[in-house]
Amino acid sequence: MSSPFNLLTTGARFDRSRFSNDFDLFTVSFRYCAVANWQKKKAKKDKGKGKAKDVLPSSLNFFGDSKAAPEESDSGSESDASSSSSSSAASIPEPPKQKITLTGPEPLPASLGTDLESLFEKDDTLKKPMLRNLASANIRSLWGVQCAVAGSLLDGQDTMCVAPTGSGKTLAYLLPLLVALKTPSRKMDDKDQGVRSLIVVPTHDLAVQIHQVLSAILPPKWRALVLSKATQKAVCESAPGPKFGKTESEDDDEEEEEREGNLGIDFLIATPERLHHLLDEGLVSLAK
């Protein structure tokens, strides 16, 4: 079945000689558009190339009938290396600018420098493994609040820090605390073991977050535990209270048996309610 257009145009012919002027107008405009599009595509393709496409490398210019590309000099490679090193150095984020206000009795403790090495003494054996772990965790420098808090804690001062979320408070006390402990409990005598540092936080989720940060920066043989139902027995064995392991038939004067696996705890992270329950029941001791 023929379409309406075919039915209406049956027998019609285009008289080119009669409409030659109109035909030339359409032909010229079409050619102009085609040339313009071709020029745009060519300009876009050759953009930035300049005359480099006509230059052959010297190793390929066998017949000498083309301009050879200049060979790269050592200075160029050195400049590239320097630029790459500068770009890699620039990729390390700088510490954010923080306004720090210190108050307290005079003289106020001096803040540390932003360099991580300012945390350690010259011959500190903890320095190398700590710097290696911090670099692996992408921690390159100390922030302002960390410099102030670490300087105060390492000076032996009681410190209270008020800072917004994301300002670096967690590392502000974890790093100087780790430096002050110096040696893991596994390398110490049994009499010096127990809970060596206590971190009390309001929620269990926050305790888990702090434990993850500690796990990323702690050197080998250091022990950090989150006090929970699963770890309660291990905490009690490492820092036993006066009633831990006692039965009703045992006398109070009877000496406790030595337990295997008493490794001590370098960092105990706990919530107040669970810790208070263990202390109140005499299952855990913080005497050490």
Side-chain angles (χ1 to χ4, degrees):
M1 183 177 179
S2 302
S3 64
F5 179 78
N6 292 335
L7 293 175
L8 292 174
T9 57
T10 301
R13 298 181 62 185
F14 179 72
D15 191 351
R16 183 169 181 177
S17 60
R18 181 181 175 183
F19 301 101
S20 59
N21 294 333
D22 298 330
F23 183 79
D24 292 339
L25 291 175
F26 282 96
T27 303
V28 172
S29 62
F30 173 77
R31 290 178 179 174
Y32 174 78
C33 292
V35 171
N37 291 334
W38 177 79
Q39 290 177 346
K40 288 181 180 179
K41 291 181 180 179
K42 187 175 182 302
K44 186 177 181 179
K45 184 177 181 181
D46 297 339
K47 185 178 180 180
K49 292 184 178 180
K51 298 181 180 179
K53 63 179 182 179
D54 297 329
V55 178
L56 286 175
S58 58
S59 58
L60 300 178
N61 190 16
F62 301 108
F63 304 102
D65 56 353
S66 177
K67 295 181 179 179
E71 296 182 357
E72 296 183 356
S73 61
D74 294 339
S75 60
S77 60
E78 293 177 358
S79 61
D80 294 341
S82 60
S83 62
S84 61
S85 61
S86 61
S87 61
S88 61
S91 62
I92 300 176
E94 295 182 358
K97 294 182 179 180
Q98 296 175 331
K99 183 179 180 181
I100 307 299
T101 302
L102 298 178
T103 58
E106 299 290 342
L108 294 174
S111 298
L112 301 180
T114 58
D115 188 6
L116 290 173
E117 294 188 2
S118 62
L119 284 166
F120 309 96
E121 297 179 356
K122 185 176 181 181
D123 299 329
D124 197 338
T125 56
L126 195 60
K127 182 177 179 179
K128 287 185 178 180
M130 274 290 298
L131 291 178
R132 181 172 58 251
N133 290 353
L134 290 171
S136 300
N138 201 26
I139 301 172
R140 308 291 181 177
S141 60
L142 296 176
W143 292 6
V145 66
Q146 296 165 357
C147 296
V149 173
S152 178
L153 291 177
L154 291 177
D155 193 48
Q157 303 291 332
D158 294 333
T159 306
M160 181 176 66
C161 173
V162 180
T165 302
S167 58
K169 295 188 298 294
T170 302
L171 287 176
Y173 64 84
L174 288 182
L175 291 177
L177 184 56
L178 181 56
V179 172
L181 293 177
K182 294 184 180 298
T183 306
S185 59
R186 296 186 182 186
K187 293 184 178 181
M188 303 174 66
D189 297 334
D190 292 342
K191 63 179 182 179
D192 296 325
Q193 292 182 350
V195 178
R196 304 181 64 204
S197 64
L198 176 64
I199 303 171
V200 181
V201 292
T203 64
H204 179 73
D205 292 339
L206 183 56
V208 173
Q209 293 178 11
I210 295 175
H211 184 265
Q212 291 175 349
V213 175
L214 267 175
S215 300
I217 64 175
L218 279 180
K221 297 185 179 181
W222 288 77
R223 192 182 188 202
L225 289 178
V226 176
L227 180 57
S228 63
K229 186 176 181 179
T231 61
Q232 178 174 315
K233 183 178 180 181
V235 173
C236 294
E237 289 179 349
S238 298
K243 295 182 180 180
F244 178 71
K246 296 284 187 179
T247 62
E248 295 181 357
S249 60
E250 290 178 333
D251 297 331
D252 294 338
D253 297 336
E254 184 179 353
E255 295 182 358
E256 265 188 38
E257 297 180 357
E258 294 183 0
R259 299 173 179 81
E260 295 181 359
N262 183 9
L263 303 176
I265 302 174
D266 298 305
F267 296 89
L268 178 62
I269 313 167
T271 53
E273 185 176 358
R274 186 175 292 275
L275 179 62
H276 178 268
H277 170 72
L278 295 181
L279 291 174
D280 192 48
E281 294 293 327
L283 301 177
V284 169
S285 173
L286 300 179
K288 296 182 181 181

